[in-house]
Amino acid sequence: MTTTFTQIKSKLTSDDLLFVYYSGHGVMDISTKVVVNDSDPMHRYWDLENNLQFLSKQSYVIAVFDCCRTKIDTS
């Protein structure tokens, strides 16, 4: 988990509601990942959905994904 998500998690309580709106490029396999600008294929996708699920164990999370979700090309 990234430093930003760790900081957010440390501030959330069980009474908090976190609303996340993502608009941009996305891909998916089992979960939705966002596409980031990185020439290294190992860092091209970031798993936003699973990171939000991790935060939802501690508080309420509503996420809206307004993005394309093409299947990740593994070839």
Side-chain angles (χ1 to χ4, degrees), residues 4-66:
T4 303
F5 264 72
T6 303
Q7 291 171 349
I8 292 170
K9 185 177 184 324
S10 70
K11 295 178 191 251
L12 290 174
T13 69
S14 61
D15 294 329
D16 288 335
L17 169 66
L18 177 65
F19 179 82
V20 177
Y21 177 83
Y22 175 74
S23 177
H25 294 288
V27 294
M28 70 182 310
D29 49 13
I30 296 173
S31 65
T32 302
K33 296 168 179 33
V34 299
V35 179
V36 294
N37 274 341
D38 199 315
S39 59
D40 183 356
M42 297 302 293
H43 297 109
R44 192 166 294 152
Y45 308 121
W46 190 72
D47 198 346
L48 178 58
E49 186 175 349
N50 279 336
N51 281 294
L52 291 174
Q53 285 180 357
F54 179 75
L55 293 177
S56 73
K57 295 177 183 181
Q58 180 171 329
S59 61
Y60 298 99
V61 176
I62 296 174
V64 176
F65 292 93
D66 183 16

